[in-house]
Amino acid sequence: MALIYYVTQIQFDFGALKLLKQECDRVGISRPLIVTDPGVKAAGILQKALDALPGMTVAVFNQTPSNPTEAAVRGAAAVYKSQGCDGLIAVGGGSAIDCAKGVAIAATHEGPLTVYATIEGGSPRITERVAPLIAVPTTSGTGSEVARGAIIIVDDHRKLGFHSWHLVPKAAICDPELTLGLPPQLTAATGMDAIAHCMETFMAPTFNPPADGIALDGLARGWAHIERATRDGSDREARLNMMSASMQGAMAFQKGLGCVHSLSHSLGSVDPRLHHGTLNAMFLPAVIRFNAAAESIQKEQRLQRMAQAMGLVSSSDIPEAIKDMNARLDLPSGLAAMGVQSTLFDKIIAGAMADHCHKTGPRIATADEYRDLLTQAL
């Protein structure tokens, strides 16, 4: 049975950050903890968020790592409790937002985070007691500001997903102005993350027509604007459309993802230094070729519909078009260029087969098929 659920209130416009206090009042947050990272602080965006909260007592945790960890969640949760906070504001990319979602659990639920991980059967254990969260994205990639999930590296070094409708932010403030001037490499990597979300969720077989429509429109916006946004950090139209593509990808992927993400999650756990969006870009061409044989893909002409959204003539053009786009964006040529070696394949495959995305794609890969996908992406 398909569950189709949209619950986040979104404020979307240039300058929307000025509505932050209004949203806190609406949600009922009076003593927020801002969860962010050193880069957001250095860029002056943390101060902009603080300036948008006049008269409020605000605590700050600004040590979110590039891949959020259970240790960081514990540290932020300790600040939340010691300062008597009653809600969270995540300011940053997917890492800060996912870290804040971890805090929303840890500050209000007993036990280690692993108890609440999706693959450990933990989703039903996440209750309405979670701390309320407002998300302010500063990149256009994960779309975590409208999603029910978070990806966190737990203490045993696994990169696990946490999913519950209780984790969906109570409000998302999508202000493209916060992404102006984002460095080209980060713009490209996060942008390909958004595009991967739109593509992979559109290929997923679960029945969810609204998600399909949202994903296709997000793909068209992302594909048409990612190069412009990367080459000119001040292009307001491109930044607006990339933020929308990011948001739309996450609105749609409640439908499910697939092999791209099971591989990226696993490899990101094996080597946390690797950027998730860049990994998605590396895996997309091989996985699209792999998915082409799926009955649902052929029956519903899903690849041809994606090609149309990308302005391509044929679905067979998609894998090479992605490789060409990666090259134009100065992303790595493959996993080997990122320092990944074939000696890691067994560990990556084991993690991919245990990942929550493994069984949601149009084809469920075997260990040998995962090995072939890794070889193609190398």
Side-chain angles (χ1 to χ4, degrees), residues 4 6 198 201-202 208-221 244-254:
I4 301 171
Y6 292 96
C198 292
T201 198
F202 184 71
N208 191 328
D212 286 341
I214 292 167
L216 266 190
D217 183 80
L219 171 59
R221 291 176 187 276
S244 184
S246 174
M247 175 190 72
Q248 289 174 247
M251 291 176 72
F253 68 42
Q254 61 173 271

Side-chain angles (χ1 to χ4, degrees), residues 53-310:
L53 298 168
M56 295 186 74
T57 300
V58 183
V60 175
F61 177 84
N62 60 16
Q63 295 301 309
T64 303
S66 56
N67 283 285
T69 62
E70 187 171 357
V73 168
R74 274 197 304 273
V79 176
Y80 183 95
K81 292 177 180 178
S82 67
Q83 298 298 311
C85 298
D86 60 3
L88 295 152
I89 300 172
V91 182
S95 296
I97 299 173
D98 282 6
C99 186
K101 290 178 180 178
V103 178
I105 300 170
T108 55
H109 292 64
E110 297 298 323
L113 271 184
T114 309
V115 173
Y116 305 96
T118 302
I119 65 169
E120 301 290 346
S123 293
R125 302 183 188 116
I126 302 172
T127 72
E128 70 280 355
R129 296 196 312 275
V130 297
L133 169 63
I134 295 172
V136 184
T138 61
T139 63
S140 298
T142 70
S144 190
E145 69 273 7
V146 295
R148 73 189 191 280
I151 305 295
I152 297 169
I153 299 175
V154 296
D155 287 341
D156 63 11
H157 307 297
R158 289 182 296 165
K159 194 170 190 176
L160 300 184
F162 299 79
H163 298 83
S164 168
W165 292 112
H166 298 303
L167 291 178
V168 178
K170 302 300 183 186
I173 295 181
C174 296
D175 186 344
E177 191 170 304
L178 302 180
T179 69
L180 294 175
L182 200 68
Q185 186 176 22
L186 189 56
T187 300
T190 54
M192 285 305 297
D193 191 19
I195 286 171
H197 290 159
C198 292
M199 297 182 84
E200 190 161 42
T201 198
F202 184 71
M203 291 185 285
T206 303
F207 182 80
N208 191 328
D212 286 341
I214 292 167
L216 266 190
D217 183 80
L219 171 59
R221 291 176 187 276
W223 191 257
H225 292 93
I226 186 170
E227 199 169 0
R228 282 174 52 184
T230 300
R231 297 195 182 284
D232 180 2
S234 64
D235 187 326
R236 293 171 68 86
E237 181 183 11
R239 293 293 182 180
L240 175 81
N241 280 279
M242 290 310 301
M243 182 161 275
S244 184
S246 174
M247 175 190 72
Q248 289 174 247
M251 291 176 72
F253 68 42
Q254 61 173 271
K255 184 185 168 203
L257 290 163
C259 292
V260 170
H261 280 78
S262 54
L263 286 166
S264 290
H265 291 155
S266 179
L267 181 47
S269 177
V270 171
D271 188 346
R273 297 171 300 174
L274 302 178
H275 188 276
H276 174 71
T278 305
L279 291 176
N280 284 346
M282 300 300 101
F283 287 126
L284 264 174
V287 172
I288 287 171
R289 285 191 289 263
F290 173 72
N291 284 344
E295 180 180 351
S296 61
I297 293 286
Q298 295 180 336
K299 180 181 178 182
E300 300 176 21
Q301 296 186 309
R302 290 194 174 270
L303 295 189
Q304 188 58 41
R305 292 160 71 186
M306 288 200 310
Q308 183 178 6
M310 298 164 72

Side-chain angles (χ1 to χ4, degrees), residues 24-25 37 51 53 123 151 179 256 277 311 328 344 354 356 368 378:
C24 283
D25 293 342
D37 61 58
D51 291 344
L53 298 168
S123 293
I151 305 295
T179 69
R328 294 202 302 274
L344 298 175
H356 62 275
D368 286 342
L378 199 58

